[in-house]
Amino acid sequence: MHDLLACALVLAGGKGTRMHSDKPKVLKTLLGESMLYYVYNALRPSIGDEIFTIVGFGSEYVEDSFPQMKERFILQKEQLGTGHALQQGWDCVKNSGHEYCLVINGDTPLISAKAVSDFLDAVKEDGADLSFVTITPHEPNQFGRVIRNKAGQVTAIVEAKDYDEFIHGPASGEVNAGIYCLKISVVEDLLFNLTNENKSGEYYITDLVDLAVDRGMHVTAVDCGNSVDLMGINSPYELAKAESTLKMRMAENWLRSGVIIHNWESAVVGPRVKIEPGVEMTGPCELYGETSIASGAVIKSHVVIIDSNIGENAEIKAYSHLEDAKVGPECSVGPYGRLRPGAVLEEGAKIGNFVEMKKAILGKGAKASHLTYLGDSEIGAGTNIGAGTITCNYDGKNKFKTIIGENAFIGSNTALVAPVTVGNGVLIAAGSTITKNVNDGDLAVARSRQVNISRTSQKS
């Protein structure tokens, strides 16, 4: 926690029309996580849980994405500008008991916890009534222009569409990054004196600067240079560039920590993923969510892993897809393996090419080498599942379970019609359809007797 007593207000109510989406812009993702997720993560080390969020367009989507913060969402029914958004949240800010309020746009996913802390340090040192962050990009684009007087003091921020050099004077080259720190006790009077006399007809937070300067308040601007980390994202192009930047940073961090990544430029690793030193990966591959990879594991190319745990020395072969699965030590998956939610491979188990598991456990050392579907199943240690085996777990209305004991041998092209239990050491003949339980050690054959009919005799 920063020693400057501050809460935060995140502005996340806009539609983001240039994203061409029916969902809020702040929920667009980078490396599998929303822009808003990154902003919250950057704020928490300094602000803790004292974070309020203004929501508007598609508010239900934002609230569903962060249910743990539901009590701190504030609805802006009409989107009348950033100043209006701050007005809507002001009662919560004022009643928070803090001296300052940090205001930040929810579309700045590259901002770091250090950048937030450094800004609060600068505010504390200056003791400003109103402070904001500026950047000096090569192209100012749609960012608000920062105006300074001859003495270098900030006099105003003018929105790009309203800026006129003849009226406002030359721009400083700095633009507004959309991050402010306001002394709560002195800003309230300014906030409710904002007007919407501009080309957009909106109430701008940026006008607070002009009002504060006119009142003789202490206003400072913290110039952070040409920092792409502080730029908001307004279009698919800007989103892609930011994601590329973030992807490279993640990969570089893992390489420096002792993870081997071949073709590292094409490896995608989400911010919640945990990888131990000694893991070896090959891009392109994608790791998302709460995935964890233990030391010695090998992840081949074109693999996608989501919210899954991979044990020590396990190998995930090319083109495999895992979601909410657990792969134990020394296991092997794929190539072209599919582990759906609830799939568990215990130590040394193996699934091969074109094997799919869902809500199924494959016991220690068991294997299903090819062309198999295992759903709603428990398979004992050492059991071998032949090619083409299917657990028929769904009757059109309900799901049922298949249980197979240890050291069983399931012949190729077997259909196991659940609910059914197959005992230890059972041998099931290839091509069987098993509808009844099989006792330990039995041989089960469930197929029609073959009949050969001479085609020659038929023709005569």
Side-chain angles (χ1 to χ4, degrees):
M1 293 286 291
H2 199 278
D3 55 2
L4 184 75
L5 193 61
C7 63
L9 185 69
V10 181
L11 306 184
K15 181 177 182 180
T17 55
R18 280 180 282 175
M19 284 295 184
H20 304 284
S21 173
D22 60 355
K23 291 185 179 180
K25 176 176 68 170
V26 295
L27 294 186
K28 294 300 177 188
T29 61
L30 303 86
L31 308 185
E33 304 293 343
S34 69
M35 288 195 259
L36 198 51
Y37 166 88
Y38 291 99
V39 173
Y40 287 154
N41 268 14
L43 291 173
R44 284 195 182 98
S46 292
I47 304 296
D49 293 328
E50 292 297 296
I51 302 171
F52 302 98
T53 304
I54 298 293
V55 293
F57 172 77
S59 60
E60 66 277 12
Y61 295 114
V62 181
E63 292 176 7
D64 288 346
S65 298
F66 299 93
Q68 72 278 16
M69 300 186 67
K70 191 170 185 178
E71 300 303 317
R72 293 182 179 272
F73 286 120
I74 302 162
L75 180 62
Q76 182 188 18
K77 293 182 179 179
E78 295 181 275
Q79 282 74 65
L80 303 178
T82 54
H84 178 254
L86 181 54
Q87 290 172 350
Q88 300 303 296
W90 194 250
D91 281 346
C92 291
V93 167
K94 186 170 62 173
N95 295 328
S96 68
H98 294 85
E99 184 179 4
Y100 286 90
C101 177
L102 179 70
V103 182
I104 184 170
N105 291 325
D107 63 356
T108 53
L110 295 185
I111 189 169
S112 66
K114 184 178 184 303
V116 172
S117 180
D118 288 349
F119 179 44
L120 294 179
D121 283 343
V123 172
K124 182 180 180 182
E125 183 177 344
D126 290 338
D129 296 316
L130 188 158
S131 189
F132 63 97
V133 174
T134 72
I135 51 178
T136 52
H138 298 302
E139 296 292 336
N141 297 325
Q142 299 302 311
F143 293 99
R145 308 308 197 254
V146 176
I147 311 299
R148 292 182 183 267
N149 60 23
K150 292 181 179 179
Q153 297 171 321
V154 173
T155 59
I157 302 173
V158 182
E159 295 297 323
K161 64 182 69 176
D162 297 311
Y163 175 68
D164 185 318
E165 185 173 351
F166 180 75
I167 296 173
H168 301 105
S172 63
E174 299 168 78
V175 299
N176 175 35
I179 304 171
Y180 314 85
C181 195
L182 314 174
K183 184 175 282 187
I184 296 171
S185 60
V186 300
V187 168
E188 181 170 11
D189 187 46
L190 304 181
L191 178 61
F192 290 95
N193 277 289
L194 292 175
T195 69
N196 62 348
E197 296 173 1
N198 50 64
K199 290 182 180 179
S200 294
E202 294 184 347
Y203 299 90
Y204 294 140
I205 285 181
T206 50
D207 288 344
L208 289 175
V209 174
D210 193 16
L211 292 175
V213 170
D214 285 346
R215 298 279 184 93
M217 294 181 180
H218 185 191
V219 178
T220 62
V222 179
D223 184 0
C224 291
N226 186 22
S227 175
V228 297
D229 293 0
L230 303 177
M231 294 183 182
I233 291 175
N234 297 297
S235 68
Y237 173 73
E238 292 173 357
L239 182 68
K241 285 189 68 177
E243 185 172 43
S244 180
T245 297
L246 197 57
K247 181 180 74 171
M248 292 301 171
R249 288 179 186 173
M250 291 286 186
E252 288 175 2
N253 287 340
W254 289 120
L255 287 166
R256 290 192 175 97
S257 74
V259 177
I260 298 171
I261 309 179
H262 304 285
N263 193 18
W264 68 275
E265 296 92 342
S266 61
V268 179
V269 181
R272 291 187 288 150
V273 173
K274 298 177 181 178
I275 309 175
E276 293 183 357
V279 168
E280 186 168 355
M281 300 163 48
T282 300
C285 61
E286 301 173 59
L287 312 180
Y288 297 118
E290 296 285 353
T291 291
S292 63
I293 316 289
S295 182
V298 175
I299 311 298
K300 294 294 189 179
S301 71
H302 299 89
V303 165
V304 178
I305 304 177
I306 304 168
D307 293 322
S308 298
N309 298 325
I310 312 301
E312 292 183 357
N313 302 314
E315 182 175 11
I316 312 300
K317 296 180 180 178
Y319 295 98
S320 294
H321 192 292
L322 290 70
E323 182 176 2
D324 196 17
K326 294 183 180 179
V327 178
E330 309 290 342
C331 288
S332 176
V333 175
Y336 294 98
R338 175 86 189 277
L339 298 184
R340 292 167 57 193
V344 177
L345 272 65
E346 296 182 349
E347 183 178 355
K350 173 186 176 182
I351 70 164
N353 50 288
F354 304 106
V355 175
E356 178 180 355
M357 290 178 62
K358 188 273 300 179
K359 205 174 179 181
I361 299 172
L362 194 60
K364 184 176 180 180
K367 58 184 178 180
S369 296
H370 26 236
L371 302 166
T372 290
Y373 172 68
L374 303 173
D376 295 280
S377 305
E378 289 183 12
I379 296 146
T383 287
N384 184 86
I385 306 293
T389 295
I390 299 172
T391 56
C392 307
N393 58 327
Y394 185 51
D395 67 358
K397 184 178 292 186
N398 298 300
K399 296 285 182 72
F400 296 98
K401 194 167 188 176
T402 296
I403 298 175
I404 302 174
E406 297 182 358
N407 300 308
F409 185 93
I410 311 300
S412 296
N413 201 32
T414 292
L416 298 155
V417 183
V420 68
T421 297
V422 175
N424 297 325
V426 164
L427 172 62
I428 294 182
S432 293
T433 298
I434 302 300
T435 58
K436 298 179 181 179
N437 293 345
V438 184
N439 294 326
D440 290 353
D442 282 358
L443 164 66
V445 182
R447 59 192 184 203
S448 299
R449 182 180 298 275
Q450 180 174 327
V451 177
N452 295 338
I453 300 174
S454 172
R455 296 176 65 197
T456 304
S457 60
Q458 284 182 323
K459 291 178 182 178
S460 61

